[in-house]
Amino acid sequence: MESINQKIHLENTNVSLYIKREDLLHPRISGNKFRKLKYNLAQAKSESKQTLLTFGGAFSNHILAVAAAGKEQGFKTIGIIRGEELQDKISENPTLQKAQDFGMVFEFVGRSIYREKSNPEFIQQLTEKFGDFYLIPEGGTNDLAVKGCEEILTKTDKKFDYICCAVGTGGTISGLINCSKNGQQVLGFPALKGDFLREDICKFVRKSNWNLIEDYHFAGYAKVSDELIVFINEFYQKHKVPLDPIYTGKMMFGVMDLIDKNYFPENSKILVIHTGGLQGIAGMNILLKQKNQLQINVYD
Ligand SMILES: *Cc1c(COP(=O)(O)O)cnc(C)c1O
């Protein structure tokens, strides 16, 4: 499967910018989460598993993607959700509500228990409670996910000098690095603060033509500012490309800022990956409204 590269028309610069619309890959399984799940679902089937179990937070694109993919491919799905307080608020949370509509069963846990998500004893307890399952880690990143993300770039993408993407757990950028050409530079824009990311990416990649640009996380995961919201709304008005506030909005803000600052050499060809995540806008807008802040407006 290939997605289209859409040109973004820029003024007062000689770099060229294209956006790969992975957000349009599948109507319900968003962008990179589709890529990350592809080989994991095949593996679950080959192991005759009937249930997928995974982990995520309140607005997780990954949780909703697993719920939708499970529904589509005939798996039961279980989501271990961070935050006991969300238990009685499913109907106020568009992400969890949609996941539940796709049939996902939730287990809400406190933050300290959630931190045990890779601990074999905790996994054993979950097996006792729910029976046998295929485990997909938080954010969906594992070897098979990276393999799926190695299919994002195509032959015609060889012409680009820079490949840019948003980074959460590092699985997507790892796949991009592995399938990039040596002359290409892959730039990751982390959506959160964290020193662990470089090490995590090194576990999956065999090349060194990449870097992380850590100046555009806007104070941390799922944190937003008015400046970011204004940027997302204006970007949509100008280019008709919707961006999400957690990942792609921050990455694109960073790319445009770097273009303004002449970070990229003259005539560079830049490809940014739209990894999706647009389902998160509704939930973010509810929070912004509660706080009386500017909301995201990327709908016609
Ligand atoms: C999950 C996600 C990412 C981050 O992907 P990783 O593989 O975890 O780094 C980026 N963009 C969007 C829209 C996502 O949903």
Side-chain angles (χ1 to χ4, degrees), residues 220-262:
Y221 188 74
K223 303 240 166 65
V224 299
S225 66
D226 279 352
E227 189 187 20
L228 178 67
I229 305 295
V230 167
F231 172 81
I232 289 171
N233 292 346
E234 288 184 355
F235 195 85
Y236 182 74
Q237 277 174 14
K238 271 192 213 141
H239 306 294
K240 294 293 163 209
V241 178
L243 300 170
D244 84 290
I246 298 179
Y247 293 104
T248 57
K250 293 180 179 182
M251 182 257 320
M252 189 56 90
F253 186 102
V255 170
M256 297 302 251
D257 194 45
L258 292 179
I259 291 174
D260 281 348
K261 291 177 172 160
N262 294 320

Side-chain angles (χ1 to χ4, degrees), residues 30 32-33 36 61-62 139 141 166-173 244 247-248 275-277:
S30 164
N32 66 340
K33 300 304 186 285
K36 294 172 88 170
N61 296 324
H62 168 68
T141 290
V167 177
T169 58
T172 306
I173 191 173
D244 84 290
Y247 293 104
T248 57
T275 40

Side-chain angles (χ1 to χ4, degrees), residues 54-265:
T54 196
F55 303 87
F59 299 106
S60 170
N61 296 324
H62 168 68
I63 282 288
L64 185 56
V66 170
K71 166 97 179 167
E72 190 169 288
Q73 302 204 14
F75 293 101
K76 289 184 201 142
T77 54
I78 298 164
I80 311 299
I81 308 295
R82 181 181 56 228
E84 282 163 314
E85 73 284 358
L86 296 166
Q87 194 138 10
D88 322 308
K89 296 189 189 154
I90 296 174
S91 63
E92 296 164 37
N93 181 310
T95 303
L96 295 178
Q97 182 63 61
K98 277 186 234 156
Q100 190 176 57
D101 293 344
F102 286 132
M104 185 173 260
V105 171
F106 299 128
E107 169 93 346
F108 293 91
V109 299
R111 279 152 179 82
S112 59
I113 296 180
Y114 189 85
R115 254 177 253 127
E116 301 295 313
K117 59 192 178 295
S118 329
N119 179 341
E121 273 171 46
F122 181 48
I123 305 298
Q124 182 56 34
Q125 284 170 19
L126 291 172
T127 309
E128 280 158 26
K129 179 153 189 184
F130 294 108
D132 190 36
F133 51 74
Y134 183 86
L135 183 126
I136 305 177
E138 182 187 45
T141 290
N142 57 16
D143 288 326
L144 291 175
V146 172
K147 180 179 171 191
C149 292
E150 290 171 6
E151 296 174 357
I152 296 175
L153 295 179
T154 65
K155 281 203 189 93
T156 54
D157 296 331
K158 279 200 300 250
K159 63 173 180 278
F160 290 104
D161 304 304
Y162 291 90
I163 313 290
C164 302
C165 82
V167 177
T169 58
T172 306
I173 191 173
S174 295
L176 290 168
I177 294 164
N178 287 341
C179 68
S180 66
K181 301 292 162 209
N182 286 334
Q184 292 181 319
Q185 185 75 15
V186 183
L187 299 180
F189 293 76
L192 62 166
K193 295 186 259 186
D195 306 329
F196 50 87
L197 262 176
R198 262 169 223 275
E199 264 171 60
D200 288 354
I201 293 168
C202 283
K203 288 181 204 146
F204 293 111
V205 303
R206 307 175 282 272
K207 305 164 66 132
S208 55
N209 58 334
W210 58 280
N211 203 357
L212 296 182
I213 311 262
E214 293 172 293
D215 305 327
Y216 300 101
H217 55 63
F218 289 81
Y221 188 74
K223 303 240 166 65
V224 299
S225 66
D226 279 352
E227 189 187 20
L228 178 67
I229 305 295
V230 167
F231 172 81
I232 289 171
N233 292 346
E234 288 184 355
F235 195 85
Y236 182 74
Q237 277 174 14
K238 271 192 213 141
H239 306 294
K240 294 293 163 209
V241 178
L243 300 170
D244 84 290
I246 298 179
Y247 293 104
T248 57
K250 293 180 179 182
M251 182 257 320
M252 189 56 90
F253 186 102
V255 170
M256 297 302 251
D257 194 45
L258 292 179
I259 291 174
D260 281 348
K261 291 177 172 160
N262 294 320
Y263 171 93
F264 299 101

